[in-house]
Every structure is written in structure tokens, then in C-alpha cells.
Amino acid sequence: MAQWTSAMGAAQLARLLNSQQDRPAGPGTRRPPAYRALADGIRLLVLEGRLPVAARLPAERELALSLSVSRTTVAAAYEALRAEGFLESRRGAGSWTAVPAGNPLPARGLEPLPPEALGSMIDLGCAALPAPEPWLTRAVQGALEELPPYAHTHGDYPAGLPALRAMIAERYTARGIPTMPEQIMVTTGAMGAIDAICHLFGGRGERIAVESPSYANILQLMREAGARLVPVAMAEGLTGWDIDRWRQVLRDAAPRIAYVVADFHNPTGALAGEDQRRQLVEAARSAGTVLVVDETMTELWLDEDVSMPRPVCAFDPAGSTVVTVGSASKAFWAGMRIGWVRAAPDVIRSLVAARAYADMGTPVLEQLAVNWLFSTGGWEQAVELRRVQARENRDALVVALRKELPSWEFEVPQGGLTLWVRAGGLSGSRLAAVGERVGVRVPSGPRFGVDGAFEGYVRLPFTVGGALAEEAAVRLAAAARVVENGGSGGAEAPRTFVA
């Protein structure tokens, strides 16, 4: 029986390998042999999770043709990978990817580090901050006081607790978007909301238009659902969407769904302007595309002079085009897995009906905690604390990067939780691999793209500040030196750092 569980075609593997941009070799620098460069490229794809473990690789002749190299080069690369434990082969079954004993399986998303690893590793992989106390504790205590009446019921609320649905609807109405509770479904985080929407509207093989770059975990969720992702490049810098590109894609590809983050985009931090929002809604309506708008960052404006545009759903009064997703996870705490969908009542009814075959409903206690925050003013005070934390961290990280890595390029966003950084011509994938060895964990740019895009970028979240931000920049600079010198591993062990 074959030991592989998926297959990678020669053309697809060649595209992924060709996306790995290397810094031009300086005078006197020796380039590795062609077979070694190919083996390193495949190993890096495995460590990044972009080439799954147990994926059958193309035959040597097929890959040689796609890469325009000799079959001998591919054979030598495969042999080197077998010797290192990254490839297994059996006569008649082919060759498939593996990881050596003792190596962790590569994460395909952006999972946070386990707490026991935090002493030696600075984690810049997960864009999430600690809970804004004392508000988490107060919210849970308030929820416990409200729990007894619900404990006498079955506890299943597929659409969400009526009190919380009404409160969320009231908050949209206060933002100038008249909303009824029947237009709200409470979900298990924003990921649960988008998963439900994709299953309702998408279906396997359907096209979904996505910003390029976009949020890595959502892209992976859509891939796992069998969607065909259609990337739409963002405008330069922090200027938001390129509306002409969006019109062309919506017209030519006719995607069933389009997924966008208008407020402090993840990962770039861009804030889409009001006119861009209006035009995108009009283009989606004309194409018959459902526009899924992720508002999880909308309350995380960090600078006092930010003028927030109206929500995207304000330009779809009939509710026929825009489906809005919100969450408590970014603005409050990632451990508070409460999200919601705002849509037309018939869409909400369909989502609720489909939920019987998914997760049934969202935990009652956490819903009561969020409702307590909304109803007492605790939410506003907690989010203001979150803004202060994120602003201080952002500013400290920017200063540290400009000092330690002056050739790296970025624009400072006015909100959100992430910095999108062009890494001075270096490979983001190699920086991520070496960073693990020097004690700083960063996600590379290709995780936020489709088919290997953004190899020259890394995403840095505002999750550390002060001396820890300075140390993170020092470790990134150490990783950059290793990559510049042609290395992809073997760097010094990380130091334990106590903030």
C-alpha cells in the first residue's frame, strides 16, 4: 500500500520552487550546486507547510522537464532529501515527503506556540494579545450570575442567545446600519462564521475571490473546503483596494464569493476608503457575487486622527450582496471564541438550518460574557486598553526594526495588529526557518498569498513591546545575516529572555 496521501504535480511544484526568490550572490560568494539548491527548496516548502507531508512528488523526468534542469540534478536532489529524512521512497510507489524523527510537523496555519516554549522563543506568529484584565474576569463573573435561568433549558441556541443577538443588532443600528436580531447569527469565532458561509454559498470547486495578500488561516480554510481561490492584488502601500482590478476579476471570473478585510487589513494594515467600499459593493452586486466582509479589526484604530469610513454593509441597504462577519477575538481576546454574522434574514435562516450538521451552537457561558461586556460598557473600556497595548507595541517594534534592519521596508498602519514587511530582498521562507533556530518565530509572506506569492515578505504582529520588541528585532537581524550568507539553518541556539 502506498505511503502517500496526496500528490504534487510537476508544474505546481515548479511554480512553488520558482517563487522562492534568492538574494543575488555577492562577490566571492559561492552558489550551491544545482541539486543542493533544489533539495533546499523542497525541504523549505515542507518545513513551511506549503508542500504537505506524505505528498507524492513527481517523477524525476517530469520535474526535470518542468524546471528545465537535467534528470541527474533532480535525482541527486531526491537522494539528498532521502539522506536527510525529508523524502521516503519505495519501488513501484514513488517518492513522498516526510519529516525527520524529532522534527515537529509543519503548521499549515498560524497556530500559537505552546506556553512552555515561550521562555526561549519570541512568538511573532500569532497576532493576538493577552486578555485585557480585569475585564475578562469581570465578564466571566457577570456571565456566571446570568447563567442560572439558561441552565434550566436545553442550552442549544443554534442562532445564538436572543439577548446577545439583540445586543449585536443594536450595536449595528448605533453605527447607522438599522439591524434586526433576525439578521444576526452568533458563531464560534470569525473562523466558524466564514466556514459556515463558505459551505452555504461556496461548495467544492466554486471560485472565491480573495485579496492578495490575505489572512493565511482563512485562505487555508477555503482551500480545505475545495474552493478555487482567485487572487486580487491590493493597491500599493496602505491605500486599500485596487477597484479596477476588482471589477475585472468579478466580471471575468464571476466568483460566487469574495472575501475582503476593509478595516485594517490583515496582513497589510490598509484601511479601505468610503468610495472604494461603495464601488466594490456595486461591482459585486453587478457580478452576482456574495461579498463577505471581515470586520474583526474594525475597532482597533490606534491613532487619534483616524477617520473611520462607514461599514461596507452601509452601501447594501437591501442586504442582498454583503454578508458581514465580526468577532470578539481580535478586539478583546483570542480565547473568547465568539463571532457573529450579519446578513439578510433568509441568509441567517439558511446558516442556522445548516448548523445542525456542524457545531450545533456556540457555548452559552461565553455568549453571556460578551453580552455582559456589551451591556455594561466594559467592552469599550477593554478595547481602549487593547488599543493602548497595540499602539505601544507597534511603536516599539517600528523603532527596533528601523534600528536593526534599516533595509527592510514597511509602512506604519494606523490600526490593526500587523506590520507587512518587505525583507530587504531576502526570502521570507528562509528567514522563518532560520528564525526558529535563533529564537524568533515569524510567518513568511507566502502563507498570505496564493501559489507562492510574497516570498520576499514577512508579517510581524504588534504582540510584543519594550525590551522584548528590541530583542525580537535583534534576533531577526541575526536570522537575516545567516540568510544573506547563504545559510538556511545551523544558526545559534536561542537565548532565554525574560520580559
Side-chain angles (χ1 to χ4, degrees):
M1 185 177 69
Q3 302 299 305
W4 48 272
T5 57
S6 62
M8 175 69 68
Q12 184 181 6
L13 180 55
R15 283 197 302 273
L16 290 173
L17 289 166
N18 288 332
S19 74
Q20 296 175 332
Q21 303 165 358
D22 283 321
R23 189 182 184 91
T29 302
R30 296 182 59 187
R31 288 188 176 276
Y35 85 89
R36 184 68 260 172
L38 176 56
D40 286 347
I42 293 174
R43 176 173 56 82
L44 207 57
L45 290 174
V46 173
L47 291 172
E48 272 279 292
R50 290 193 284 150
L51 181 53
V53 175
R56 187 179 187 272
L57 295 188
E60 294 168 2
R61 187 185 303 276
E62 294 174 1
L63 186 56
L65 286 172
S66 291
L67 291 173
S68 299
V69 300
S70 71
R71 182 178 177 182
T72 302
T73 296
V74 177
Y78 278 14
E79 183 57 38
L81 289 167
R82 277 190 287 270
E84 296 164 5
F86 285 93
L87 198 68
E88 296 181 8
S89 305
R90 196 175 70 228
R91 186 177 298 277
S95 299
W96 56 92
T97 54
V99 290
N103 277 46
L105 285 173
R108 302 192 70 184
L110 301 177
E111 294 83 359
L113 282 175
E116 61 270 17
L118 294 177
S120 60
M121 184 74 71
I122 300 175
D123 185 10
L124 298 181
C126 186
L129 289 162
E133 288 288 26
W135 298 106
L136 174 62
T137 298
R138 292 181 183 177
V140 173
Q141 291 171 342
L144 287 171
E145 293 175 3
E146 298 292 332
L147 183 61
Y150 294 94
H152 294 291
T153 73
H154 47 64
D156 286 335
Y157 297 89
L161 293 184
L164 181 55
R165 295 176 72 196
M167 183 61 67
I168 294 170
E170 184 179 313
R171 291 173 66 83
Y172 275 106
T173 300
R175 293 170 66 192
I177 318 296
T179 303
M180 304 179 295
E182 291 78 10
Q183 291 177 262
I184 302 295
M185 181 177 84
V186 181
T187 62
T188 307
M191 291 287 287
I194 293 169
D195 182 55
I197 293 165
C198 287
H199 280 89
L200 178 64
F201 290 108
R204 188 163 293 276
E206 289 280 4
R207 293 185 181 92
I208 300 180
V210 295
E211 296 151 326
S212 183
S214 187
Y215 179 36
N217 286 341
I218 292 295
L219 294 181
Q220 190 59 37
L221 180 155
M222 292 173 175
R223 291 188 189 102
E224 297 288 348
R228 298 162 61 189
L229 301 183
V230 182
V232 186
M234 295 285 289
E236 288 298 317
L238 298 176
T239 54
W241 301 319
D242 186 325
I243 294 298
D244 288 338
R245 287 177 178 169
W246 271 103
R247 284 199 186 99
Q248 181 180 354
V249 168
L250 294 177
R251 181 181 63 246
D252 296 346
R256 185 72 182 93
I257 300 172
Y259 168 76
V260 297
V261 185
D263 301 313
F264 309 120
H265 174 260
N266 186 354
T268 69
L271 177 64
E274 189 154 308
D275 197 48
Q276 290 175 316
R277 297 169 188 237
R278 178 187 296 105
Q279 292 183 62
L280 185 57
V281 171
E282 292 171 354
R285 185 182 297 119
S286 297
T289 298
V290 176
L291 187 60
V292 180
V293 179
D294 186 333
E295 284 194 335
T296 54
M297 298 283 190
T298 193
E299 296 191 65
L300 289 176
W301 48 266
L302 304 183
D303 295 335
E304 295 297 332
D305 59 347
V306 176
S307 178
M308 291 298 295
R310 285 181 290 171
V312 178
C313 57
F315 304 100
D316 181 41
S320 59
T321 299
V322 177
V323 175
T324 303
V325 172
S327 172
S329 298
K330 293 297 185 185
F332 186 74
W333 184 48
M336 187 68 77
R337 304 304 306 157
I338 298 295
W340 53 85
V341 178
R342 181 199 181 274
D346 61 319
V347 172
I348 295 298
R349 285 192 294 270
S350 297
L351 288 169
V352 171
R355 197 169 194 181
Y357 309 102
D359 65 352
M360 298 295 290
T362 303
V364 169
L365 189 62
E366 292 184 28
Q367 291 187 71
L368 289 172
V370 172
N371 192 58
W372 183 91
L373 288 166
F374 285 158
S375 60
T376 62
W379 176 268
E380 284 71 23
Q381 295 182 67
V383 171
E384 180 55 36
L385 177 59
R386 172 67 75 237
R387 291 191 193 107
V388 170
Q389 290 175 308
R391 184 187 308 118
E392 292 176 350
N393 289 354
R394 179 198 63 182
D395 295 347
L397 184 62
V398 165
V399 169
L401 288 173
R402 286 175 172 163
K403 174 185 175 184
E404 300 293 337
L405 292 154
S407 66
W408 287 21
E409 303 170 45
F410 54 86
E411 291 193 41
V412 181
Q414 292 187 295
L417 289 172
T418 57
L419 203 63
W420 185 236
V421 181
R422 191 192 301 268
L426 301 179
S427 160
S429 297
R430 286 177 166 79
L431 283 168
V434 176
E436 293 271 358
R437 294 176 171 83
V438 299
V440 59
R441 182 173 181 260
V442 296
S444 66
R447 288 178 178 259
F448 303 87
V450 177
D451 274 346
F454 307 110
E455 181 60 50
Y457 288 80
V458 291
R459 188 197 75 169
L460 304 178
F462 313 143
T463 52
V464 297
L468 200 56
E470 295 174 11
E471 177 68 12
V474 168
R475 295 185 187 187
L476 283 171
R481 287 191 294 272
V482 173
V483 175
E484 279 184 314
N485 293 328
S488 59
E492 64 188 77
R495 298 173 286 168
T496 299
F497 186 87
V498 180

